[in-house]
Amino acid sequence: MSKVISHSLFTDFDINLFKAGKHFRLYEKLGAHLMELNGVQGVYFAVWAPTAHSVSVVGDFNFWTEGEHELFVRWDSSGIWEGFIPNIQKGATYKYKILSNNGGLVTEKADPFAFYCEKPPHTASVVWDLTHKWDDSKWMKTRKEHNALDKPYSVYEVHLGSWKRGEDNRFLSYLELAEDLVSYVKEMGFTHVEFMPVMEYPYDPSWGYQLVGYFAPTSRFGNPQDFMVLVDKLHQAGIGVILDWVPSHFPDDAHGLGFFDGSNLYEHPDRRKGYHPDWKSLVFNYGRNEVRSFLISNALFWLQHYHIDGLRVDAVASMLYLDYSRNDGEWEANIFGGNENLDTISFLKEFNEVVYSNYEGVQTIAEESTSFPMVSRPTSVGGLGFGMKWMMGWMHDTLKYFQKETVYRKYHQNDLTFSMTYAFTENFMLPLSHDEVVYGKKSIADRMPGDEWQKFANLRLLYGYMFTHPGGNLLFMGGEFGQMAEWNFQQSLDWHLLQYPVHNGVKELIKDLNKLYKSEPSLYEKQFSHEGFEWIDYSDHQNAVLSFIRKGNDPKDDLIIVCNFTQIVRKNYRIGVSKKGKLKEIFNSDLEKYHGSNVLNTNTIKIESSPYGGRDYSVELVLPPLSVTVFKIL
């Protein structure tokens, strides 16, 4: 085997950008790159390890022998080790064997920039390329139109390892999912899928949130090109792809980023900032320029090479606050005496600025559970720069309300109406995510009160209310057919339930809600603006009824929504309206096809010149039990 040849892909400009924290295409330089040098095929390796005494590439090509292929350290104090090794081919497995200056510690590390990894529990990196012939040009050219904030966002959240399993409980491959999952999402009418982390992770019970291979889709389901096929097929079906991205923390596995070169290279050296007590993981040093380059490069990598349409950033609250999950004495205030992590705030603003300035038509979404201001407002006006934020308060209050027996709901209407006091302070997405169906919380369906019929009527009501409330929507897999058991990452969803009318009815409801959401401009054109919403009556707590208007750009598109949160059928229920004409029922969650009781407003209803509720006109409606009904003025 040939020895290492001194070679570099780095220019002085690259190094200056890297040191300044402004190199956002690091994956083109660091890592393992197949190339030809002086007519010889091989691999160029480069790794950042500034406190290393020596770095060797060990792999199946040299029997994992230290010192056979020792890299050269650059002269410019960048801490980068590099070199070209001839005759290594695609598919070779490798690691970096690092001898540290700190006491001679020797570690074997996976490549932080590897494009592909061995299938867990194996931990080596794999030499690979990113070639793929994309067939999604139509989507990419029109993506801006699909992903704009005034377009529908109905997101299906998916854990690839447990959406569906094959025989003997095996994982489906990316290629199988490219057939089964794509056709299902298209049938259901969701506008986007959101994948829980696909980047390589060692530990299945982490669900992917403890990442090691930030630049590699997990090999559990296939190779990088296979994952590209899945994204490609989704785009061809007109479905956007959002990835969960985890810049908040990483595990301390021996082959991972932790203590990489014998020093706190990626993690913050101060344990109060560099260790996460909840997840027993390490926290990135957001104030270190090279780490910022690593993370922002990683974000752009998925947008560039995998055509990803959005990044949902996990656990933003844990990043923003120095005292998050820490007791007094376990954290240190910032220079202004506050609990905000100023390095994180700076990093998130730069991340969003770089993403939006480099890729048209993408979105970033924050999972942020506090009242931190202006998360989804532009950095130019002092915001963090995200496109959207999860509305955790809506989720918490709404589920709390729905779990109550209907007889008590009249005392708790504020749980529902409170969301509208802050609904337009951010661009909110309403989430019913995986976090709500684990750890003894029960499934969404199983939380609903009453007998079986009432449980599923309540579930349909919840979904109807969610889809007609301002904001985008996100629903975790299984919720769309009313899975009763909590989510189990070790097995498939309970698809057999669809043989039962009550479950199939929920599935049909979600299909029709997606159709309604996408076909009615008033539900999405102003979904993040107070101009798109108006209460008709939020005060009828005695009957547990809410009524409101959703508005789009054209007043002709206005919709009237009435929610009945009890099982009592309310005949001759009067609401005030502001226009003459007739009302036509265009959606009813109580339809027989949904396994409802089929209480309908069958004919068009004439609006009367009879003032009511502070409006010049009014109309009498029939409100089905535990239902959402949607009307259009003709």
Side-chain angles (χ1 to χ4, degrees):
M1 174 64 70
S2 305
K3 295 296 183 182
V4 179
I5 297 170
S6 179
H7 183 71
S8 183
L9 294 182
F10 284 89
T11 65
D12 290 344
F13 184 60
D14 286 321
I15 297 299
N16 289 335
L17 286 176
F18 179 49
K19 288 180 177 180
K22 302 296 182 183
H23 200 310
F24 303 136
R25 307 280 176 179
L26 276 180
Y27 52 83
E28 296 175 352
K29 308 290 181 173
L30 289 170
H33 298 274
L34 290 157
M35 61 175 292
E36 181 181 303
L37 183 64
N38 300 326
V40 178
Q41 298 290 332
V43 176
Y44 166 79
F45 292 93
V47 63
W48 179 48
T51 65
H53 177 74
S54 66
V55 178
S56 296
V57 183
V58 297
D60 56 5
F61 45 85
N62 63 14
F63 304 102
W64 303 92
T65 305
E66 179 185 353
E68 282 289 305
H69 293 99
E70 194 168 304
L71 299 177
F72 299 93
V73 67
R74 289 183 61 89
W75 55 269
D76 51 21
S77 73
S78 62
I80 293 171
W81 299 74
E82 60 185 352
F84 175 81
I85 305 178
N87 303 316
I88 296 179
Q89 298 178 345
K90 179 179 175 179
T93 55
Y94 70 100
K95 284 186 179 180
Y96 297 117
K97 197 147 195 175
I98 300 172
L99 174 61
S100 173
N101 276 326
N102 295 341
L105 180 70
V106 179
T107 57
E108 273 192 11
K109 293 291 188 177
D111 187 348
F113 285 84
F115 298 146
Y116 192 26
C117 301
E118 282 190 304
K119 189 174 182 179
H122 301 292
T123 57
S125 303
V126 182
V127 174
W128 210 256
D129 62 32
L130 298 171
T131 56
H132 174 71
K133 184 182 179 298
W134 288 89
D135 292 317
D136 64 346
S137 57
K138 181 180 177 182
W139 169 269
M140 295 300 284
K141 287 175 184 174
T142 60
R143 174 167 72 176
K144 184 180 178 182
E145 299 168 22
H146 295 283
N147 282 351
L149 293 175
D150 60 353
K151 293 295 188 289
Y153 261 84
S154 181
V155 182
Y156 186 53
E157 187 190 24
V158 176
H159 179 260
L160 289 173
S162 59
W163 177 73
K164 189 180 285 185
R165 293 282 182 105
E167 63 279 0
D168 299 321
N169 204 37
R170 69 168 179 84
F171 290 135
L172 294 188
S173 68
Y174 290 127
L175 296 180
E176 289 173 308
L177 289 162
E179 299 300 324
D180 292 3
L181 178 63
V182 173
S183 61
Y184 180 76
V185 175
K186 186 173 183 179
E187 174 201 349
M188 294 301 297
F190 290 100
T191 63
H192 295 73
V193 293
E194 179 181 314
F195 292 138
M196 292 167 67
V198 299
M199 301 81 177
E200 194 60 82
Y201 56 98
Y203 187 51
D204 281 350
S206 79
W207 311 333
Y209 290 98
Q210 299 269 4
L211 304 183
V212 167
Y214 270 76
F215 290 83
T218 178
S219 53
R220 287 167 174 80
F221 317 120
N223 65 39
Q225 281 73 18
D226 295 339
F227 181 59
M228 292 177 187
V229 169
L230 174 55
V231 176
D232 211 341
K233 292 285 189 182
L234 284 161
H235 282 172
Q236 290 171 47
I239 300 160
V241 181
I242 301 167
L243 293 188
D244 271 11
W245 186 56
V246 191
S248 48
H249 65 120
F250 58 91
D252 61 359
D253 293 58
H255 66 290
L257 296 177
F259 213 58
F260 188 81
D261 62 350
S263 71
N264 300 118
L265 192 62
Y266 288 92
E267 67 272 24
H268 200 286
D270 185 339
R271 190 82 167 172
R272 293 172 296 182
K273 295 181 181 178
Y275 179 75
H276 200 295
D278 284 356
W279 303 314
K280 297 178 173 54
S281 54
L282 303 174
V283 179
F284 285 105
N285 185 354
Y286 305 107
R288 187 165 191 169
N289 286 341
E290 296 90 342
V291 172
R292 292 167 75 109
S293 283
F294 169 81
L295 288 171
I296 296 176
S297 290
N298 183 245
L300 297 197
F301 171 80
W302 294 99
L303 302 175
Q304 176 67 34
H305 287 286
Y306 288 89
H307 291 197
I308 298 305
D309 305 295
L311 297 171
R312 176 266 194 186
V313 183
D314 182 62
V316 172
S318 75
M319 300 169 66
L320 287 172
Y321 294 102
L322 297 165
D323 59 345
Y324 186 91
S325 277
R326 290 176 172 84
N327 298 317
D328 290 345
E330 295 176 348
W331 64 282
E332 184 180 40
N334 62 36
I335 57 172
F336 302 110
N339 65 344
E340 301 87 2
N341 189 324
L342 302 180
D343 288 337
T344 294
I345 292 170
S346 167
F347 162 73
L348 290 173
K349 287 182 176 182
E350 184 170 29
F351 151 72
N352 281 310
E353 288 169 355
V354 173
V355 165
Y356 282 106
S357 63
N358 279 273
Y359 292 93
E360 188 175 50
V362 303
Q363 295 291 349
T364 62
I365 305 163
E367 186 217 10
E368 204 286 310
S369 55
T370 74
S371 57
F372 192 94
M374 302 177 70
V375 171
S376 58
R377 294 293 180 259
T379 58
S380 59
V381 297
L384 290 183
F386 285 93
M388 281 177 269
K389 169 181 168 170
W390 276 18
M391 198 176 190
M392 309 297 278
W394 171 88
M395 175 274 299
H396 177 269
D397 291 344
T398 300
L399 290 179
K400 178 180 166 187
Y401 177 88
F402 268 86
Q403 286 177 263
K404 290 180 168 61
E405 295 287 346
T406 55
V407 68
Y408 300 117
R409 288 180 176 175
K410 62 184 177 182
Y411 304 113
H412 300 279
Q413 192 129 309
N414 183 59
D415 286 346
L416 293 181
T417 58
F418 181 65
S419 66
M420 293 312 304
T421 66
Y422 64 95
F424 306 112
T425 59
E426 302 277 3
N427 298 334
F428 279 121
M429 177 176 284
L430 280 54
L432 292 175
S433 75
H434 65 275
D435 277 328
E436 306 317 311
V437 293
V438 289
Y439 298 142
K441 295 178 183 176
K442 299 184 177 181
S443 69
I444 302 297
D446 199 28
R447 291 196 207 190
M448 300 295 108
D451 58 20
E452 183 187 73
W453 190 91
Q454 288 187 27
K455 275 183 182 291
F456 281 87
N458 269 303
L459 186 66
R460 297 191 301 270
L461 169 58
L462 168 61
Y463 291 156
Y465 170 63
M466 174 182 180
F467 272 76
T468 54
H469 188 288
N473 310 298
L474 177 138
L475 185 61
F476 182 58
M477 62 183 200
E480 79 280 9
F481 60 81
Q483 174 152 322
M484 293 300 293
E486 280 192 342
W487 170 52
N488 183 350
F489 72 92
Q490 296 176 304
Q491 65 186 43
S492 169
L493 297 178
D494 294 335
W495 293 105
H496 65 277
L497 293 176
L498 286 171
Q499 66 185 299
Y500 302 109
V502 68
H503 291 278
N504 195 63
V506 177
K507 179 186 172 187
E508 291 301 313
L509 174 100
I510 294 294
K511 285 167 66 173
D512 285 353
L513 280 171
N514 277 325
K515 194 179 298 180
L516 179 77
Y517 181 34
K518 293 189 293 186
S519 63
E520 294 295 336
S522 62
L523 292 178
Y524 59 79
E525 286 181 340
K526 295 182 177 180
Q527 59 191 340
F528 302 123
S529 168
H530 65 89
E531 296 175 349
F533 179 89
E534 182 183 339
W535 283 116
I536 294 175
D537 189 357
Y538 59 81
S539 63
D540 188 9
H541 56 88
Q542 283 297 332
N543 292 313
V545 173
L546 290 178
S547 51
F548 53 90
I549 305 170
R550 291 296 308 277
K551 302 177 180 182
N553 296 328
D554 189 338
K556 293 179 181 176
D557 294 328
D558 287 1
L559 296 180
I560 291 175
I561 292 98
V562 186
C563 305
N564 178 9
F565 294 98
T566 72
Q567 65 270 43
I568 299 169
V569 177
R570 304 199 182 277
K571 298 180 179 179
N572 309 119
Y573 188 88
R574 187 172 291 274
I575 62 170
V577 293
S578 302
K579 299 177 183 177
K580 290 182 179 180
K582 296 180 179 179
L583 283 192
K584 180 183 180 184
E585 182 182 281
I586 63 169
F587 177 84
N588 184 330
S589 67
D590 191 49
L591 292 186
E592 188 175 9
K593 68 183 285 195
Y594 309 141
H595 202 65
S597 58
N598 219 41
V599 174
L600 310 175
N601 292 271
T602 51
N603 303 313
T604 55
I605 308 157
K606 186 177 180 181
I607 296 173
E608 302 171 20
S609 298
S610 177
Y612 189 82
R615 298 172 188 270
D616 293 337
Y617 308 97
S618 63
V619 64
E620 283 191 346
L621 307 172
V622 176
L623 304 189
L626 294 169
S627 68
V628 172
T629 43
V630 180
F631 301 89
K632 204 163 199 173
I633 298 178
L634 303 178

